[in-house]
Amino acid sequence: MGKKERGEDTELVHLGRSPEDFHGVVNPPAVRTSTILYPSLEAFENPSHKYRYGRTGNPQSDSFEQAMAKLEGGYGARVTGTGLSAIVLALTTFTKAGDHVLIVDTVYGPTRDFCTRTLARFGVEVEFYNPLIAGEIRELIRDNTALIYLESPGSATFEVQDVPAIMEEARKKNVLTIMDNTWSGGLLYRPIEHGVDIVLQAATKYIGGHSDINLGFVVAASKEHYERLRLESIVQGLCAGPEDMTLALRGLRTMKLRIVHSAESALKIAQWLQGQAGVQRVYYPVLPDDPGHALWKRDFSGANGVLSVLLNPAPKAAVRAFVDGLELFPIGSSWGGYESLLQPQYLKKYRTARPWKEDGALLRLQIGLEDPDDLIADLKAALERFRGAA
Ligand SMILES: *Cc1c(COP(=O)(O)O)cnc(C)c1O
């Protein structure tokens, strides 16, 4: 979180705030504007005039971007309307026709879709790599490899990547690295401190924290990369709404409390699930027997509240009995909010470097701020229904 002269909790309270710029107003005000007025022709023609047009930046987006740049310890940030548009911005800024890119196989599904449907159509060769590849990524790096894209832990199954080992190879060959850091909220892992060039997040998740916004941002470690991102986001017309930035900065203030609470509950639930009949496997790197545990422990300062459970292979009716009777886990996309959710995962079409071979149902659980004992009771009843129908 910026320079480490102050504690992380103190920084979370202060990031992006400058009451002195707004007559003492404690939170940066929402700025609703398309138009910015100029007092004279001279002001209009002055290229260093600070704000030009609502879409390209204003005092509120500056506040938000400064907060995110500090959160991730980078030079500068650019806000985007969604997490996915932050991903698109990062990938399009740093690729051109004829390039080859290496994308982790456990990447967020829509990132994969963007790469295979759109990036490929513009002449970029997309190759997915095994999340457990570590230093062997050197064998995949070609002369025209423009970037290595990381996301750790991975989506849905939470494989932990050996980021330092990958960074070492990337540095040797001078290949740009981009990391989706949504899992950590910028709190549990700071990729830029480990040499990653570009970090992005869906602020939709833990930063927002209340399931009421879509918002994203990209942070560059260097001035040079930041300038390229800034220009590209202006050219592509990317910006975010004032309400969403206000809500994201509000969420940021309590992110640590929420993430710590959710992680405590998630561990309790993961450990309980591990002992239950009908459960084949629990995916959560905090569990000591999770294959990613050692790397997670080495690199991360904590965990979030998202885990997945693989049920034993069973007829669809049994999975339906599990899911449909739940009271505290409605089916819903997204995670990082205050409420618990369940999202079924269908990974067979989404994994190629490391094909998904499990036949049981994989259910992702987002653990919210409810009493963990109530959540366990709900899951216990679901497993009883599942076993009864299997
Ligand atoms: C949700 C998510 C995104 C996309 O965020 P949106 O605001 O939904 O576009 C990107 N990366 C990861 C890892 C996510 O979980």
Side-chain angles (χ1 to χ4, degrees):
M1 222 143 297
K3 284 187 223 92
K4 279 286 182 186
E5 68 261 12
R6 288 201 292 199
E8 175 178 277
D9 294 354
T10 309
E11 288 288 358
L12 279 181
V13 167
H14 288 277
L15 288 177
R17 285 178 48 203
S18 53
E20 61 283 5
D21 292 338
F22 302 107
H23 306 278
V25 171
V26 67
N27 292 306
V31 174
R32 302 176 198 286
T33 194
S34 56
T35 302
I36 287 158
L37 302 176
Y38 300 81
S40 65
L41 183 63
E42 194 190 344
F44 186 74
E45 289 178 347
N46 180 354
S48 64
H49 194 87
K50 195 160 181 201
Y51 302 116
R52 288 270 153 199
Y53 184 50
R55 190 185 65 210
T56 60
N58 63 57
Q60 185 191 13
S61 62
D62 277 1
S63 298
F64 183 76
E65 289 169 349
Q66 278 159 18
M68 296 305 109
K70 271 202 138 187
L71 178 71
E72 290 288 1
Y75 174 84
R78 244 353 241 197
V79 68
T80 59
T82 67
L84 185 57
S85 55
I87 292 162
V88 169
L89 171 63
L91 286 170
T92 50
T93 299
F94 299 106
T95 51
K96 61 180 187 316
D99 283 346
H100 165 251
V101 295
L102 288 166
I103 311 282
V104 65
D105 202 38
T106 40
V107 76
Y108 178 61
T111 306
R112 188 182 193 98
D113 290 337
F114 174 75
C115 290
T116 52
R117 286 173 198 212
T118 308
L119 214 50
R121 186 154 47 81
F122 285 87
V124 176
E125 189 183 345
V126 177
E127 180 175 355
F128 294 97
Y129 68 89
N130 184 335
L132 309 180
I133 197 166
E136 281 163 34
I137 197 148
R138 80 180 74 86
E139 286 153 32
L140 301 184
I141 298 176
R142 308 180 192 165
D143 291 343
N144 65 337
T145 302
L147 59 89
I148 300 172
Y149 187 99
L150 305 96
E151 179 183 322
S152 180
S155 277
T157 41
F158 315 111
E159 286 82 353
V160 183
Q161 295 192 250
D162 191 339
V163 179
I166 292 173
M167 287 311 303
E168 196 181 321
E169 300 305 320
R171 229 173 283 131
K172 275 188 216 155
K173 302 257 172 75
N174 213 6
V175 178
L176 185 89
T177 45
I178 301 179
M179 183 162 174
D180 184 331
N181 197 31
T182 304
W183 191 91
S184 101
L187 205 61
L188 312 171
Y189 189 66
R190 306 203 348 129
I192 287 174
E193 285 176 3
H194 301 270
V196 174
D197 298 299
I198 307 293
V199 179
L200 56 90
Q201 275 197 53
T204 308
K205 305 290 166 56
Y206 274 105
I207 292 178
H210 295 74
S211 308
D212 48 10
I213 57 168
N214 281 106
L215 192 70
F217 62 87
V218 187
V219 175
S222 75
K223 181 173 193 294
E224 186 224 324
H225 288 145
Y226 167 74
E227 288 300 341
R228 287 177 64 183
L229 278 167
R230 192 182 74 85
L231 278 177
E232 191 64 32
S233 76
I234 288 171
V235 166
Q236 293 188 20
L238 303 177
C239 64
E243 180 91 351
D244 294 343
M245 287 186 280
T246 296
L247 290 172
L249 273 190
R250 167 186 287 218
L252 185 70
R253 310 300 171 207
T254 58
M255 175 168 69
K256 172 91 174 276
L257 299 175
R258 292 182 284 101
I259 214 166
V260 165
H261 184 101
S262 290
E264 261 175 38
S265 298
L267 180 58
K268 196 169 171 185
I269 290 165
Q271 282 170 333
W272 177 83
L273 277 169
Q274 275 194 310
Q276 301 305 305
V279 171
Q280 188 174 325
R281 203 194 132 177
V282 179
Y283 296 80
Y284 190 55
V286 189
L287 292 170
D289 57 352
D290 188 280
H293 182 75
L295 288 180
W296 170 78
K297 206 168 168 187
R298 183 191 71 185
D299 292 347
F300 288 77
S301 65
N304 72 16
V306 197
L307 59 104
S308 289
V309 56
L310 179 68
L311 299 178
N312 285 341
K316 195 73 174 198
V319 181
R320 253 187 249 126
F322 181 106
V323 171
D324 291 345
L326 285 164
E327 288 176 5
L328 298 175
F329 289 91
I331 301 174
S333 295
S334 203
W335 45 269
Y338 58 85
E339 83 292 23
S340 291
L341 295 170
L342 175 147
Q343 192 194 43
Q345 302 290 320
Y346 309 95
L347 298 183
K348 283 193 171 138
K349 63 177 192 281
Y350 272 112
R351 300 280 161 89
T352 50
R354 220 171 148 244
W356 180 253
K357 297 193 182 121
E358 302 297 345
D359 289 322
L362 184 71
L363 306 172
R364 189 184 71 196
L365 302 178
Q366 130 75 15
I367 306 302
L369 304 178
E370 303 91 341
D371 279 314
D373 292 340
D374 292 338
L375 298 174
I376 287 175
D378 202 20
L379 293 168
K380 186 164 188 274
L383 278 168
E384 280 160 12
R385 289 190 302 274
F386 175 75
R387 289 191 299 258

